[in-house]
Amino acid sequence: MKGVTKDNSPGIVDKDAILAGNDLLEFTEDVPKAIAEIKKAIKKRLDLPKRNRC
């Protein structure tokens, strides 16, 4: 299944999979890059302003 990985770099695919709701990653091509990208995504999401909740 190269459909997703064909046009995306290692690490980005893993980050997108986690953000899509996957809780398990298999066949990661570059583990350190995947961890770095996931950490950046978490930090970016934590930096978002809080929404007003009803």
Side-chain angles (χ1 to χ4, degrees):
M1 296 189 78
K2 292 284 186 183
V4 174
T5 59
K6 184 174 105 177
D7 295 328
N8 295 299
S9 63
I12 303 298
V13 173
D14 303 300
K15 174 200 61 156
D16 291 343
I18 292 292
L19 291 177
N22 290 292
D23 57 350
L24 177 69
L25 298 175
E26 296 183 31
F27 309 113
T28 300
E29 294 179 15
D30 187 347
V31 174
K33 178 72 173 168
I35 291 170
E37 289 296 328
I38 292 166
K39 283 183 177 181
K40 282 194 316 190
I42 290 169
K43 177 146 178 57
K44 185 176 179 181
R45 302 270 317 221
L46 292 176
D47 289 343
L48 292 176
K50 303 284 184 201
R51 293 184 189 177
N52 292 333
R53 294 190 175 133
C54 298

